[in-house]
Amino acid sequence: MTSCMRPYCDLFALRMLLLVSVLILLVRSDSADNWCLSALASTCEDCLRRGPECAWCSQERFLDGAHVSQRCGSVSDLRVRGCEEEFIENPNVKVEVNATISSSQVSPREVSIHLRPGSEASFVIEVHQLERYPVDLYYLVDVSASMKDNLDHLRTEGLALSHQMKEHSSDFRVGFGSFVDKPVSPYIDVHPSKLLNPCSDYEVHCRPAHGFIHVLPVTENMTEFTRVIREQGISGNMDTPEGGFDAMLQATVCQKDIGWRPEAKRLLLVMTDQPSHLALDSKLAGIVVPHDGRCHLEDNIYSQTTSMEHPTIGQLAEKLLENNVYSIFAVDQVQYQWYEDLLDLIPGSYVGRLSPKASNLKDLVVHAYKKLLSDVEVQIGVEDGQAHRFWVNVTTLCPDGSSVSGNTKCSSVQPKQTVFFKVTVGMSSCPASGGDQEVLMSVRPVGFNESVTVRVRQVCGCGCSERNRCHDDPNPSPCPAEADACREDGTKPVCSGRGTCKCGTCVCDSSRFGNIYGKFCEMDDFSCPYERGLLCGGHGRCVSGECACLSGWTSETCSCPVSTETCMSDDGLICSDRGKCVCGKCVCDDSRRSGTFCEKCPICYSSCQSHWSCVNCHLSNGLGSDGFHLCNHSCAPSVDYVDDITELVRGKYCLYPSSDKCQYRFLMDLASDRPQLHISRHPVCVLSRRYLKTFLSTFLLTVTLGIGMMAAVRQLLRTRDHWCQSSPEQPFDDGHKDPSFIPSTNEKTITYRRDRLTNHPVEMHSHLPKMPLSGVWQ
């Protein structure tokens, strides 16, 4: 039965889905009309700025006499009001993909979209993860005195890392740079002796403090790398934080000096045991010039370290993303939490705990490299000054099949796998200058040297101004009056009495109730009946005070659909063949019925007598298979026969009196909307001789047994009374109690008073049984 009903369920679900879709479209259409007409748009540009639902009619003599704002409306509304398709200004949203630019990792590389205010467009970006990349690793090391042990062991760990990275990279190269802090007070001691040797108090020679020094460009010569590390000396400063962010930005943006290769994965390894100064910290040294985000290396030394503030975290993150640089923080255990908090602020970053003497540097960098490559993330950038007029949403489809809206990242991506990003761009408003302007956006996968350029053309103008006027000339040339041309017929007043005839054309009057329009000012938007707050139910035009319904709608308010589709039940019948379709809804013939399709009737089948005709039909056909087909019209849709009806527990038991003085039992199951009957094959003949004999036998046997049991009990009671009277009464003797002696009951009366027990003792009375005196009381 379930398999048979499933097609009907699917058909019903499909119809309901179509109905809901139609209602949503109608509601959206009605709201669009109201929205477009709610403001008096005097130009085509003003109309288009209202939203993507609004269009403008540039047809001459459109709605003669009406206000120019009536030219603005939804496309369907303008068509209904007589605007020809070629004169409707409705710029469409378009997406054009340029597939001519070759790409190995990111595609497409260029997308062009046309947007108008309130509209949105979507496109898909594919990011393909390659198996082996060339890798550039730049060591940016804090050379303050506390990092001496790590610096001494760097050359050994650096060689081991170079050998291990060759297993994961097709071409591995390294570079080196060092940093301490800004060489100004209060960051360092500015005493002349301390400027040359910050460690003079400890009888140790240290190099002067510096903001950033670029020591070795990226190279594959590990011998040169080892020599440079051996020559590095420590330095010192006064405060705890270091100038790490200053050095990171220079190492990122000075691409030619560092030697970053365009095709390589760029890793910036920052080794330190302290946090970094932030942007506003520079004001302690009197430095108030914000960082410009540019490269300032002179002879490989950062020249603006004492002139510009530290970069902000956002500025640093932007430059890392723009230059496709991953950042790896290898930090001391104590500072791990400080750097971990930066991960959400700096895309493509990783933080790891650096063991004493950098003993785990090799494993830390390899693990960071694998983790960074397995995380595929995109960042969206919009041209400066334009971001406030756009919104972007990203839906990510990861290789494992998961899809998350609003998420721009996939994790655990393996080589040769592809990640799909669905990017939706929407425009909220046009620029103040108007016109069709182009805005550049970028979709950049973090750490990839390829990105997507998105050209957004803002459609804020109308083509009618280029071809012809967007509306009629408000100041036509003088002409003689022709009153007859302004009458609908000879019996009607000029311009329906609601306008003035000028040059044979009606100029409709203005009304505080609404708009008057039409060739003869015969139409308006206020004198017809409303339905659900909409004139003519939103499905017609008001002509001479009456609704002229659109096709498919009827009634005085155009609120009733002509189609009976909404009244069609699952079996293909209108209102289950138990009612009529009136205004798109079922009106049941029987007042007891209810439901969308008159399918419910809780009391129609509640009595047993309502099914007697059905049972009689089946009994007349001998409870055989022919009865199912012959009794369909008078019975419930499901009838079956059972041998033992007592096994059925759900439902209501009923009796049907047959003509042979027997009764047939049947069970009425009301679990569904229409009942199901289970008829017993065996009748219950309560008046037959067999049942009468059984009843009499059972009755006589029960009476006989009852009389016999009462006589036996009476005899036992008499025997006991006689025995008790014949036994003499004997006193106590030698402390032994007579078995037949029954002591009298002790009665104790206890009186309680409200006063305290200590002041008013309890008064007690005892009645003891009388005892025979034999001897002396002791």
Side-chain angles (χ1 to χ4, degrees):
M1 179 177 177
T2 303
S3 60
C4 296
M5 292 298 292
R6 184 171 182 177
Y8 294 104
C9 294
D10 295 341
L11 180 60
F12 176 73
L14 179 60
R15 287 175 177 168
M16 291 301 296
L17 179 61
L18 291 175
L19 176 60
V20 171
S21 302
V22 171
L23 291 176
I24 291 175
L25 289 175
L26 291 176
V27 171
R28 292 186 63 181
S29 177
D30 295 339
S31 61
D33 295 343
N34 293 335
W35 173 253
C36 298
L37 291 171
S38 61
L40 298 179
S42 58
T43 65
C44 179
E45 287 76 9
D46 290 342
C47 179
L48 296 186
R49 289 170 185 264
R50 299 294 296 167
E53 304 89 356
C54 300
W56 180 267
C57 180
S58 61
Q59 182 177 335
E60 292 186 7
R61 306 183 69 85
F62 174 68
L63 300 181
D64 290 332
H67 190 271
V68 67
S69 62
Q70 293 295 307
R71 293 179 176 272
C72 185
S74 66
V75 174
S76 60
D77 177 56
L78 293 177
R79 289 172 182 165
V80 168
R81 291 192 282 164
C83 186
E84 298 179 10
E85 190 73 30
E86 59 181 307
F87 296 101
I88 297 179
E89 297 289 333
N90 182 35
N92 295 323
V93 175
K94 293 191 294 185
V95 178
E96 299 174 352
V97 177
N98 186 357
T100 59
I101 304 177
S102 61
S103 175
S104 59
Q105 302 173 82
V106 181
S107 63
R109 296 294 300 278
E110 188 173 293
V111 177
S112 297
I113 58 179
H114 293 203
L115 292 177
R116 51 182 295 188
S119 63
E120 62 182 40
S122 299
F123 52 91
V124 177
I125 294 176
E126 301 179 17
V127 180
H128 184 67
Q129 190 74 280
L130 301 181
E131 186 172 9
R132 291 170 66 86
Y133 291 93
V135 176
D136 291 343
L137 174 64
Y138 190 82
Y139 288 87
L140 187 58
V141 181
D142 175 9
V143 293
S144 57
S146 58
M147 290 288 292
K148 183 177 184 306
D149 291 341
N150 294 329
L151 188 62
D152 293 340
H153 290 80
L154 181 59
R155 58 178 179 270
T156 304
E157 290 296 318
L159 288 173
L161 174 61
S162 176
H163 291 299
Q164 186 162 344
M165 280 298 296
K166 289 180 180 179
E167 301 177 3
H168 308 282
S169 171
S170 58
D171 185 5
F172 181 71
R173 300 185 182 186
V174 295
F176 183 85
S178 65
F179 70 92
V180 183
D181 208 340
K182 289 183 179 296
V184 292
S185 178
Y187 307 130
I188 67 170
D189 192 337
V190 294
H191 191 276
S193 61
K194 296 296 181 67
L195 290 176
L196 297 177
N197 182 14
C199 308
S200 59
D201 291 344
Y202 305 98
E203 299 182 356
V204 178
H205 180 72
C206 292
R207 58 193 294 192
H210 54 276
F212 169 62
I213 296 179
H214 170 50
V215 181
L216 178 67
V218 173
T219 179
E220 58 184 354
N221 188 344
M222 294 306 298
T223 302
E224 180 68 11
F225 174 77
T226 305
R227 183 190 66 79
V228 167
I229 298 300
R230 188 181 298 113
E231 294 177 354
Q232 296 303 307
I234 60 173
S235 182
N237 61 331
M238 294 183 64
D239 64 339
T240 298
E242 315 290 8
F245 286 174
D246 242 354
M248 286 181 66
L249 193 140
Q250 292 302 302
T252 300
V253 299
C254 300
Q255 295 193 39
K256 293 182 180 180
D257 300 274
I258 302 299
W260 295 118
R261 291 177 293 171
E263 72 279 5
K265 289 291 184 184
R266 304 171 180 180
L267 306 181
L268 180 59
L269 176 61
V270 181
M271 296 177 59
T272 182
D273 60 352
Q274 298 297 338
S276 175
H277 278 295
L278 302 178
L280 297 180
D281 292 351
S282 306
K283 289 180 171 54
L284 295 174
I287 302 175
V288 296
V289 179
H291 203 293
D292 60 5
R294 299 178 182 177
C295 176
H296 295 283
L297 285 184
E298 295 180 6
D299 296 331
N300 294 328
I301 299 176
Y302 178 33
S303 60
Q304 299 296 319
T305 181
T306 60
S307 302
M308 287 187 180
E309 287 186 339
H310 294 280
T312 65
I313 296 177
Q315 190 176 29
L316 176 61
E318 179 184 355
K319 293 303 177 181
L320 288 169
L321 179 64
E322 181 181 320
N323 292 275
N324 312 313
V325 177
Y326 290 114
S327 54
I328 302 174
F329 297 100
V331 300
D332 183 74
Q333 171 69 31
V334 178
Q335 305 300 332
Y336 179 84
Q337 185 62 48
W338 193 91
Y339 283 93
E340 187 180 38
D341 294 337
L342 296 176
L343 297 184
D344 293 334
L345 305 176
I346 303 179
S349 59
Y350 177 88
V351 60
R353 296 178 175 86
L354 187 65
S355 300
K357 299 182 180 181
S359 59
N360 67 329
L361 181 64
K362 174 185 63 175
D363 296 332
L364 188 152
V365 174
V366 172
H367 183 268
Y369 176 72
K370 292 180 178 179
K371 179 67 171 61
L372 291 172
L373 257 65
S374 67
D375 293 339
V376 178
E377 181 180 5
V378 295
Q379 292 287 322
I380 311 294
V382 185
E383 188 177 326
D384 291 341
Q386 304 293 332
H388 65 283
R389 295 189 296 103
F390 296 90
W391 58 268
V392 180
N393 182 60
V394 180
T395 300
T396 305
L397 179 61
C398 299
D400 60 1
S402 61
S403 178
V404 181
S405 177
N407 186 22
T408 61
K409 182 178 180 179
C410 269
S411 301
S412 303
V413 179
Q414 301 301 317
K416 297 184 178 182
Q417 290 185 338
T418 302
V419 181
F420 298 90
F421 296 94
K422 180 183 176 182
V423 183
T424 301
V425 181
M427 186 174 74
S428 59
S429 62
C430 284
S433 58
D436 296 349
Q437 300 182 9
E438 187 175 88
V439 175
L440 292 180
M441 301 178 64
S442 64
V443 182
R444 186 181 300 275
V446 177
F448 284 73
N449 55 8
E450 297 177 3
S451 61
V452 181
T453 300
V454 183
R455 303 182 183 275
V456 183
R457 182 182 179 186
Q458 306 168 91
V459 183
C460 299
C462 293
C464 58
S465 58
E466 302 172 1
R467 302 189 305 269
N468 48 43
R469 294 192 306 270
C470 290
H471 53 83
D472 300 328
D473 190 353
N475 299 311
S477 58
C479 62
E482 299 178 4
D484 292 339
C486 297
R487 300 176 187 270
E488 191 171 357
D489 57 48
T491 62
K492 298 291 182 64
V494 175
C495 298
S496 303
R498 303 194 297 180
T500 304
C501 184
K502 294 182 180 181
C503 300
T505 302
C506 288
V507 178
C508 302
D509 297 336
S510 59
S511 173
R512 61 187 180 90
F513 299 107
N515 295 306
I516 301 174
Y517 62 95
K519 184 177 181 180
F520 305 103
C521 300
E522 78 280 9
M523 292 185 286
D524 60 62
D525 57 5
F526 58 84
S527 62
C528 287
Y530 282 72
E531 181 71 23
R532 301 189 309 276
L534 300 175
L535 184 72
C536 296
H539 305 121
R541 293 180 296 167
C542 184
V543 181
S544 300
E546 296 182 356
C547 289
C549 301
L550 300 177
S551 177
W553 297 90
T554 184
S555 82
E556 183 182 3
T557 58
C558 300
S559 58
C560 295
V562 176
S563 173
T564 59
E565 183 71 20
T566 56
C567 298
M568 196 77 68
S569 56
D570 295 342
D571 53 7
L573 299 176
I574 295 178
C575 299
S576 303
D577 203 20
R578 295 185 176 90
K580 299 179 181 62
C581 188
V582 179
C583 199
K585 295 182 179 180
C586 287
V587 177
C588 305
D589 296 334
D590 191 341
S591 60
R592 296 178 299 173
R593 291 190 169 276
S594 62
T596 305
F597 307 107
C598 300
E599 76 281 7
K600 297 180 180 180
C601 187
I603 63 174
C604 288
Y605 304 100
S606 60
S607 63
C608 295
Q609 289 83 353
S610 60
H611 296 288
W612 280 7
S613 59
C614 178
V615 177
N616 181 56
C617 180
H618 283 273
L619 293 177
S620 301
N621 290 278
L623 300 181
S625 59
D626 296 337
F628 291 107
H629 304 287
L630 297 175
C631 302
N632 282 341
H633 296 289
S634 61
C635 291
S638 178
V639 177
D640 63 349
Y641 311 136
V642 295
D643 291 321
D644 188 0
I645 199 169
T646 59
E647 294 181 353
L648 305 178
V649 295
R650 188 181 68 177
K652 178 179 180 181
Y653 286 99
C654 298
L655 290 175
Y656 171 71
S658 62
S659 57
D660 56 356
K661 297 183 179 180
C662 292
Q663 293 180 330
Y664 281 85
R665 302 184 68 184
F666 64 94
L667 183 133
M668 181 171 52
D669 188 353
L670 298 176
S672 59
D673 292 334
R674 303 187 68 177
Q676 299 179 2
L677 300 183
H678 307 276
I679 304 175
S680 175
R681 290 190 175 91
H682 306 293
V684 179
C685 301
V686 296
L687 299 178
S688 63
R689 294 183 177 180
R690 183 184 62 177
Y691 285 100
L692 182 59
K693 291 180 179 180
T694 303
F695 172 75
L696 292 176
S697 300
T698 303
F699 177 75
L700 293 175
L701 180 60
T702 303
V703 172
T704 304
L705 290 176
I707 293 174
M709 292 177 64
M710 291 178 63
V713 172
R714 185 175 183 181
Q715 185 63 34
L716 289 174
L717 292 175
R718 287 181 176 179
T719 304
R720 189 190 65 175
D721 293 341
H722 178 72
W723 182 77
C724 291
Q725 294 176 1
S726 60
S727 299
E729 190 178 36
Q730 295 183 1
F732 285 103
D733 190 18
D734 297 332
H736 297 284
K737 184 188 296 184
D738 189 350
S740 62
F741 176 76
I742 301 177
S744 62
T745 305
N746 292 339
E747 296 182 1
K748 296 182 180 180
T749 302
I750 304 176
T751 302
Y752 296 96
R753 301 191 181 186
R754 292 190 176 182
D755 300 331
R756 295 185 179 179
L757 294 177
T758 54
N759 298 330
H760 303 278
V762 177
E763 189 176 301
M764 302 179 63
H765 303 277
S766 300
H767 298 278
L768 298 177
K770 295 180 179 181
M771 304 290 290
L773 298 176
S774 60
V776 182
W777 287 93
Q778 295 182 357

